[in-house]
Amino acid sequence: MAGHHLSDERVQAFERDGFLSPLPCFTPEETRGLRERLEAIEAENVSGRFGLHITTGWAWDLVHDPRIVDPITDVLGPNVLLWSIDWFIKEPGASYVSYHQDATYWGLEPHNVVTAWVALSDAGPATGPMKFLPGTHTWPILEQEDTFAENNMLSRGQTITQELDESTAVLAPLSPGQMSLHHVRVIHASEPNTTGDRRIGMVLRYCATDVRQTKVDGDMAVLVAGADEYGHFSLIDRPREDMGESEREMQRDHGRVRQRALHSADYE
Ligand SMILES: O=C(O)CCC(=O)C(=O)O
């Protein structure tokens, strides 16, 4: 499919490799502002950063930002939902991410799901940026083991058990304000952060409207482009009041549904 925002070559590269990096997104000033907002929320309540689009108008606007959503529509088609905001914040030290496929444990099918990973800090080579095994999004789901290994940033320490040819891995370093896109089945990992600053990834998961949640009932999403002709998710509205009572209640519901989906072990 020819892109309307990305060049045809870039859309073809995504289709071939299962990832695309780097893409421009925010200015240095916007990026600093977003980092400040995130860190203010973290200082109050670390778990408040999940589902921020449900509780704050600025995060709602952010997940609709055309600099993110336009390239996403080029690779997913015109009708798109935002499924989640995650954060991969890698402090200096030993934390790492083992080789995995996202599709294994989210319960989303079909796999028309793409992540925008936006750097709110330096995500250069020494910070442990993501690395991808190109073309592996065309592979089936591989067996993963829950290792719960210390320092593994993944919730279950999930790791692909079969031997992988790591010599093909492509590092995807990002400058502050740049982003990468990756397909839900592409195999990826990241090494420890050897710098003195935290590496902050704001991780937006988008899917086409034909995708459904197969593991739990009651999953929620935000329509960010086109129309939802399927109705597989409860659609979330723009928050009326930042951190209002009903907004925070919905954020808690959203968190409970996601925990049930991520921690149900029915993918083995
Ligand atoms: O931030 C990282 O190093 C890993 C992120 C990741 O696994 C993901 O966004 O799917």
Side-chain angles (χ1 to χ4, degrees):
M1 184 183 62
H4 299 292
H5 310 283
L6 297 170
S7 67
D8 288 354
E9 289 70 27
R10 297 213 86 179
V11 174
Q12 283 156 14
F14 179 85
E15 286 170 354
R16 183 190 62 226
D17 298 333
F19 71 95
L20 196 54
S21 183
L23 292 170
C25 189
F26 297 120
T27 66
E29 201 184 332
E30 287 172 313
T31 308
R32 268 193 303 278
L34 287 169
R35 178 174 180 162
E36 277 167 23
R37 285 191 136 137
L38 162 71
E39 291 184 335
I41 287 164
E42 282 186 298
E44 243 175 58
N45 168 13
V46 156
S47 64
R49 67 188 195 212
F50 294 98
L52 255 189
H53 56 298
I54 302 171
T55 52
T56 58
W58 66 263
W60 170 276
D61 294 339
L62 190 115
V63 305
H64 290 78
D65 192 303
R67 290 169 292 183
I68 304 172
V69 174
D70 285 351
I72 289 280
T73 60
D74 287 342
V75 296
L76 277 181
N79 302 322
V80 175
L81 301 167
L82 179 279
W83 182 65
S84 78
I85 299 189
D86 289 337
W87 300 89
F88 270 87
I89 301 179
K90 193 183 280 176
E91 306 292 347
S95 296
Y96 69 99
V97 172
S98 52
Y99 277 109
H100 67 285
Q101 288 169 304
D102 298 332
T104 315
Y105 53 107
W106 292 347
L108 299 180
E109 284 173 29
H111 292 156
N112 298 326
V113 185
V114 171
T115 293
W117 196 108
V118 186
L120 298 191
S121 67
D122 177 35
T127 67
M130 271 192 296
K131 52 185 180 175
F132 298 100
L133 301 186
T136 50
H137 63 305
T138 62
W139 292 14
I141 295 289
L142 303 182
E143 194 181 319
Q144 289 185 174
E145 179 191 7
D146 290 345
T147 66
F148 295 101
E150 202 190 342
N151 298 322
N152 190 330
M153 293 175 72
L154 299 178
S155 54
R156 313 158 66 122
Q158 51 271 44
T159 305
I160 290 174
T161 52
Q162 91 176 38
E163 205 171 315
L164 298 167
D165 180 5
E166 289 194 45
S167 69
T168 64
V170 176
L171 201 63
L174 298 172
S175 301
Q178 289 184 325
M179 68 173 178
S180 60
L181 304 184
H182 71 266
H183 185 277
V184 72
R185 242 180 8 242
V186 75
I187 298 174
H188 57 289
S190 67
E191 299 292 331
N193 176 2
T194 61
T195 72
D197 190 18
R198 38 189 352 215
R199 186 220 64 170
I200 304 176
M202 180 178 69
V203 181
L204 309 180
R205 319 283 191 187
Y206 293 95
C207 62
T209 48
D210 64 342
V211 171
R212 61 167 78 237
Q213 170 57 265
T214 61
K215 288 170 104 186
V216 289
D217 291 330
D219 207 352
M220 308 169 194
V222 177
L223 183 66
V224 297
D228 179 11
E229 346 71 310
Y230 291 89
H232 289 160
F233 292 84
S234 307
L235 294 185
I236 301 168
D237 291 327
R238 192 178 198 283
R240 286 174 193 220
E241 187 193 343
D242 277 1
M243 294 294 172
E245 189 42 52
S246 62
E247 284 77 4
R248 282 186 290 132
E249 182 53 41
M250 186 180 285
Q251 184 190 33
R252 284 191 287 272
D253 284 350
H254 173 264
R256 280 191 283 266
V257 173
R258 290 300 157 79
Q259 286 305 315
R260 283 212 315 277
L262 299 186
H263 292 281
S264 81
D266 58 8
Y267 62 82
E268 279 95 350

